[in-house]
Amino acid sequence: MRSSSSATWAAAVLLGAAVLTASRPAAGYHDDASKPQSTDRSAYTVPQGMHKIGLFSIEYGLADGLELITWPVWWQLLSPNAGLEWRFVNTGKFAMSAALSGQYLSTRPWTAFFPDWQPADIGIIPLELLGSWRFHPSWTWSFGGLLTAVTLSGSFEEEAFQGAAAVTNLQAHTTFEWRLGRVVALQLHGRYLVFQTTKASAQLDLHPDEYTTIRAAAGGKTNVLDFPKAFQLVPGAHFSWETFNLRLGLGFGNYVVPAINFVLPNRSLVPELDLYWRF
């Protein structure tokens, strides 16, 4: 009888331990001491000596709180780029970082293969300030501001019209993450266009006759590309295994062109896909 009672108590203790364990906040693979927390759209950086390699980006920890950001080789061939992110605050629950990068894109090498293309040079400089607050072991709130300056110079098709245009925009963004378990985390990402302006200068050569050339120049600044209340809201899921990570999402709003961060005027479905490996 005592043996049966002891077995009952042992089973009760094991069941209670299982319930308590299950009710504890979920710890994902990115919470392990040797793994980073999610570094996308957050103030967290990969640890020193760690690689994060994906289809669209590469991150490497140069030091604790300092990482190198660039694109894979196949993207570098089209558009050379590099950047740094520095996490200058890290209290365990709260972190802040600043990121600066530069990117260059030119159509000139491709004019040999596509004669109809006009020569153009594009320079892109994004500057971002981010914060992340882990106010609960299963909940993290990240937020930031992204300022992107784009310069464009070259020739345009219409009537020998030549000039340059510069587009600058500022976006505010925020992400809530809820970790359901060791592998799965739900995310809700929002983005809002604060402003988007363009500054253009143009030069036009006119030939009223074969002996006369008139050169006209103009310059100005306009907010014609600023779309009131442009936004996007994208719910998704982040699947994190020991090395491989996958993020999927589908939302609605104004689409943001990757790399140049240009916001389009029309609203539609906004898909999201990212995958990468950490080691």
Side-chain angles (χ1 to χ4, degrees), residues 11-191:
V13 170
L14 290 175
L15 179 60
V19 171
L20 290 175
T21 302
S23 64
R24 291 178 60 191
Y29 277 102
H30 45 257
D31 288 324
D32 295 341
S34 61
K35 302 292 182 181
Q37 300 195 20
S38 178
T39 60
D40 300 310
R41 303 177 303 210
S42 75
Y44 301 114
T45 57
V46 298
Q48 182 176 2
M50 174 168 281
H51 304 78
K52 176 184 172 185
I53 300 178
L55 292 178
F56 309 107
S57 67
I58 294 177
E59 299 174 27
Y60 177 73
L62 298 173
D64 186 28
L66 180 66
E67 69 176 17
L68 172 68
I69 306 172
T70 185
W71 291 1
V73 174
W74 49 88
W75 293 111
Q76 286 281 3
L77 295 176
L78 299 174
S79 179
N81 67 94
L84 293 172
E85 182 174 354
W86 173 41
R87 189 193 66 223
F88 55 89
V89 174
N90 185 26
T91 66
K93 287 190 175 182
F94 183 74
M96 290 192 69
S97 69
L100 176 65
S101 59
Q103 177 184 344
Y104 172 74
L105 175 64
S106 177
T107 63
R108 298 179 189 278
W110 301 95
T111 55
F113 305 96
F114 305 97
D116 294 337
W117 284 20
Q118 298 296 319
D121 299 281
I122 303 174
I124 306 166
I125 305 176
L127 173 63
E128 190 168 21
L129 183 65
L130 301 125
S132 291
W133 177 31
R134 192 168 184 184
F135 57 91
H136 184 276
S138 294
W139 288 86
T140 302
W141 174 36
S142 295
F143 48 89
L146 173 62
L147 179 67
T148 304
V150 180
T151 62
L152 170 65
S153 63
S155 299
F156 298 87
E157 295 181 0
E158 300 176 356
E159 303 292 331
F161 186 86
Q162 302 198 10
V167 178
T168 299
N169 74 26
L170 174 63
Q171 301 174 35
H173 61 84
T174 184
T175 303
F176 285 93
E177 182 183 77
W178 179 23
R179 296 172 189 167
L180 298 179
R182 188 166 174 79
V183 172
V184 182
L186 299 182
Q187 295 182 341
L188 181 61
H189 176 69
R191 190 173 290 263

